[in-house]
């Protein structure tokens, strides 16, 4: 063999070796990545040719796959519409799955979850077409409807929980969006809807109940400050606190005033009355006495800082790590840099109502097969203990006073004892405050805990206060469940 032929053979051998190595690498190491690329049309067609599981509320589908006569074979539809848009999320052949259960429970809905292995094996043996499982949710449609109606055209969120188990009874975020607009098979229409939703000023695709930019909690945080005080053993409901009209913050020339500008009970109050009337100066003073570590630790016991998946991820709520003395006063009333989700605030109310036990929120009650046989059932899980039973009882009594004769009277329900706390959170110079309310009922044996936030005061604008704007919404959500 002469040199030219030898070199040509060597080059060809190298090319074959490279081809063999490249194909082996793609087949064994990159196959999954390539298969999962959003633009992989073969994968999309294979996925859409399989019936996806339904999402059910009280036995009715709020998301389901419908047979269609096109190349995809199935189209996702959302009979629940915008009212359930942040719960279902969307499933789009252009933009994939996102926004809610369509994304976070995708493996269950497609039937690809590892725990469904034996079910898939059974389908293979019986030659049955593979399909996803159905998800039965914990949502109570009466609570969801009341929350939806209560928020109306206002931006904000409502979360309701069963304090005993952590089951999510309602989760509403406004503004909302209709996932049907993203699930169609007309690419131009879907693209147009996607662009409109992403450019909308109200950011309707953000689920404000569990994520987004988070909110300052305002005075609903005073329940956590009160819990820290009671848990320290140095304070009781009757402990005397100063309640002047203004509290000079140390190291500054800034005064912390009470809402309305007056003193609290003539300048001297007790802890119970301070919560009932939501006295800023009394709680600001108390925060400086307790210190940042005590408030931060108490918040942690209520769930702050925890990464939760229910199964959608919940952005952790937070209390700043570095706080000086004047900032301790502001933190104690839920201002400065304290940030929360409505889900976290609902968890605080639920833990107080559940004798101090903090339950993990969950949204999927059961998974069901195609014939609706139960495959799996969620078992309630205790996350921890926020306060002891005695402290929870004292906090419950104090929160009942808020609704009976304090800042939360608009949450009253005839014949039912309600415990609650209002909050009016400042969040910028010249901006209207966020209006908060959290509550649970019946107070001595609660079956529902609820948190409501209305952004920028809602329709009340600068006149907004938590007890005026958000308490009636919380009342209607609780009433829908316990006194329909």
């Amino acid at each position: 063999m002469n040199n030219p032929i030898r070199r040509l053979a060597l080059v060809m051998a190298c090319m074959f070796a490279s081809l063999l190595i490249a194909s082996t690498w793609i087949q064994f190491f990159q196959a999954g990545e390539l298969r999962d690329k959003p633009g992989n049309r073969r994968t999309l067609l294979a996925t859409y040719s399989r019936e996806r599981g339904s999402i059910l509320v009280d036995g009715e589908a709020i998301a389901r796959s419908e047979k269609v006569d096109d190349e995809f074979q199935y189209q996702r539809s959302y009979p629940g519409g915008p009212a359930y848009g942040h719960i279902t999320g969307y499933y789009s052949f252009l933009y994939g799955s996102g926004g809610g259960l369509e994304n976070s429970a995708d493996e269950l809905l497609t039937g690809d979850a590892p725990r469904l292995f034996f079910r898939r094996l059974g389908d293979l043996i019986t030659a049955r077409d593979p399909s996803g499982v159905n998800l039965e949710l914990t949502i109570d449609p009466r609570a969801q409807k009341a929350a939806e109606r209560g928020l109306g055209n206002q931006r904000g969120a409502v979360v309701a929980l069963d304090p005993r188990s952590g089951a999510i009874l309602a989760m509403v975020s406004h503004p909302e969006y209709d996932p049907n607009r993203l699930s169609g098979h007309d690419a131009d229409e879907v693209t147009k809807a996607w662009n409109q939703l992403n450019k909308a000023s109200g950011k309707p695709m953000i689920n404000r109940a569990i994520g987004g930019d988070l909110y300052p909690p305002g005075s609903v945080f005073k329940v956590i400050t009160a819990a820290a005080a009671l848990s320290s053993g140095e304070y009781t409901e009757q402990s005397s606190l100063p309640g002047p009209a203004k509290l000079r913050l140390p190291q500054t020339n800034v005064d912390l005033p009470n809402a309305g500008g007056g003193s609290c009970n003539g300048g001297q109050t007790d802890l119970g009355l301070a919560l009932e009337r939501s006295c800023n100066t009394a709680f600001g003073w108390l925060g400086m006495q307790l210190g940042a570590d005590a408030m931060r630790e108490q918040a942690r016991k209520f769930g702050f800082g925890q990464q939760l998946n229910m199964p959608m991820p919940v952005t952790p709520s937070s209390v700043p790590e570095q706080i000086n003395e004047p900032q301790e006063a502001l933190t104690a009333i839920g201002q400065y840099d304290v940030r929360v989700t409505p889900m976290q605030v609902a968890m605080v109310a639920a833990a107080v109502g559940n004798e101090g036990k903090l339950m993990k929120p969950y949204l999927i009650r059961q998974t069901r097969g195609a014939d609706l046989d139960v495959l799996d059932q969620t078992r309630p899980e205790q996350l921890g203990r926020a306060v002891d039973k005695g402290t929870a009882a004292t906090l419950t009594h104090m929160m009942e006073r808020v609704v009976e004769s304090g800042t939360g009277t608009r949450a009253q329900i005839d014949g039912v004892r309600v415990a609650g706390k209002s909050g009016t959170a400042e969040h910028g110079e010249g901006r209207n405050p966020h209006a908060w309310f959290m509550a649970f009922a019946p107070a001595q044996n609660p079956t529902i805990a609820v948190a409501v936030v209305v952004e920028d005061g809602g329709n009340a604008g600068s006149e907004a206060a938590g007890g005026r704007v958000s308490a009636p919404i919380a009342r209607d959500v609780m009433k829908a469940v316990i006194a329909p």
Side-chain angles (χ1 to χ4, degrees):
M1 182 182 297
N2 56 35
N3 284 338
I5 294 176
R6 187 181 299 113
R7 292 193 186 101
L8 179 61
L10 183 61
V11 169
M12 292 180 67
C14 290
M15 292 175 65
F16 273 113
S18 300
L19 182 62
L20 182 63
I21 292 171
S23 60
T24 301
W25 181 266
I26 291 172
Q27 287 288 333
F28 287 93
F29 298 104
Q30 290 188 311
E33 180 184 347
L34 294 172
R35 185 187 62 237
D36 296 337
K37 278 184 177 295
N40 189 334
R41 191 169 180 77
R42 292 185 63 180
T43 301
L44 274 176
L45 290 173
T47 302
Y48 273 79
S49 66
R50 186 194 303 180
E51 186 174 5
R52 192 173 173 85
S54 297
I55 301 175
L56 308 168
V57 169
D58 202 21
E60 299 292 327
I62 59 171
R64 65 188 177 207
S65 291
E66 296 179 344
K67 195 80 174 173
V68 292
D69 188 20
D70 64 20
E71 60 180 337
F72 293 109
Q73 298 191 41
Y74 286 98
Q75 179 170 323
R76 202 65 167 161
S77 72
Y78 300 92
Y84 289 95
H86 287 103
I87 292 175
T88 60
Y90 57 84
Y91 186 62
S92 165
F93 78 99
L94 282 181
Y95 302 106
S97 56
L101 291 169
E102 294 284 22
N103 178 259
S104 57
D106 181 64
E107 286 190 332
L108 288 171
L109 292 168
T110 59
D112 290 334
R115 59 175 149 157
L116 300 176
F117 171 77
F118 291 106
R119 184 171 180 271
R120 290 200 303 274
L121 191 62
D123 289 342
L124 185 64
I125 294 171
T126 60
R128 186 169 55 187
D129 290 337
S131 62
V133 299
N134 303 303
L135 308 181
E136 177 73 44
L137 305 188
T138 57
I139 294 293
D140 185 322
R142 299 168 301 178
Q144 186 79 6
K145 186 176 180 180
E148 178 77 13
R149 186 172 54 237
L151 279 177
N153 64 352
Q154 303 171 109
R155 289 198 311 270
V158 178
V159 174
L161 303 173
D162 185 332
R164 302 163 297 183
S165 63
I168 298 170
L169 303 178
M171 183 168 63
V172 171
S173 175
H174 278 192
E176 55 201 358
Y177 72 100
D178 188 350
N180 286 298
R181 297 184 64 196
L182 302 176
S183 65
H185 292 176
D186 184 324
D188 291 339
E189 288 297 321
V190 171
T191 302
K192 180 180 176 182
W194 177 264
N195 290 334
Q196 287 178 346
L197 290 170
N198 280 281
K199 292 177 180 176
S201 59
K203 301 179 180 178
M205 296 183 72
I206 290 178
N207 186 348
R208 289 164 159 80
I210 58 174
D213 295 334
L214 306 196
Y215 300 96
S219 293
V220 292
F221 192 84
K222 288 173 182 169
V223 171
I224 295 176
T225 305
L230 295 169
S231 297
S232 72
E234 298 179 9
Y235 296 88
T236 68
E237 186 176 349
Q238 292 74 36
S239 292
S240 181
L241 309 177
K246 295 179 180 178
L247 177 70
R248 174 57 56 94
L249 298 179
Q251 309 165 26
T252 75
N253 295 319
V254 177
D255 289 328
L256 173 65
N258 282 321
S263 66
C264 194
N265 195 38
Q268 197 68 32
T269 181
D270 61 43
L271 181 57
L273 189 63
L275 191 77
E276 180 183 326
R277 299 185 182 178
S278 201
C279 303
N280 287 339
T281 56
F283 272 92
W285 178 87
L286 182 59
M288 291 188 288
Q289 302 304 307
L290 293 170
D293 289 344
M295 290 186 288
R296 194 182 298 111
E297 176 61 14
Q298 186 61 73
R300 186 191 65 77
K301 290 181 177 178
F302 274 109
F304 280 60
Q306 291 201 36
Q307 181 64 62
L308 298 175
N309 294 288
M310 44 78 174
M312 292 99 88
V314 182
T315 304
S317 299
S318 63
V319 175
E321 286 297 322
Q322 302 298 326
I323 305 176
N324 60 27
E325 193 173 9
Q327 291 163 353
E328 287 174 343
L330 296 174
T331 297
I333 63 169
Q335 295 286 174
Y336 184 50
D337 280 342
V338 182
R339 293 293 180 270
V340 297
T341 60
M343 175 63 73
Q344 174 62 74
V345 175
M347 289 169 64
V348 173
V352 174
N354 193 35
E355 300 182 333
K357 289 183 289 187
L358 180 66
M359 305 301 292
K360 180 181 179 181
Y362 65 97
L363 187 57
I364 300 174
R365 184 187 306 281
Q366 296 173 333
T367 55
R368 294 174 174 268
D371 51 2
L372 297 183
D373 55 316
V374 177
L375 303 176
D376 193 17
Q377 184 147 347
T378 303
R379 294 181 179 178
E381 180 182 344
Q382 185 174 338
L383 278 176
R385 176 168 281 284
V387 291
D388 62 37
K389 191 173 179 179
T391 299
T394 303
L395 287 170
T396 297
H397 182 248
M398 292 165 65
M399 291 172 68
E400 280 189 85
R401 292 175 57 180
V402 172
V403 176
E404 288 171 1
S405 53
T407 58
T409 54
R410 297 192 183 198
Q412 293 176 356
I413 301 173
D414 288 344
V416 179
R417 294 168 65 181
V418 177
K421 182 69 190 81
S422 61
T424 307
E426 304 292 339
H427 62 107
E429 188 73 28
R431 303 183 66 176
N432 296 328
H434 297 322
W436 279 98
F437 202 80
M438 70 176 186
F440 56 88
Q444 301 310 309
N445 187 25
T447 55
I448 182 171
V450 62
V452 178
V453 62
V454 176
E455 288 185 14
D456 301 319
N459 297 331
S462 61
E463 301 299 317
R468 176 186 175 190
V469 173
S470 296
I473 301 173
R475 175 201 61 206
D476 290 347
V477 173
M478 293 186 290
K479 193 174 178 180
V481 174
I482 62 178

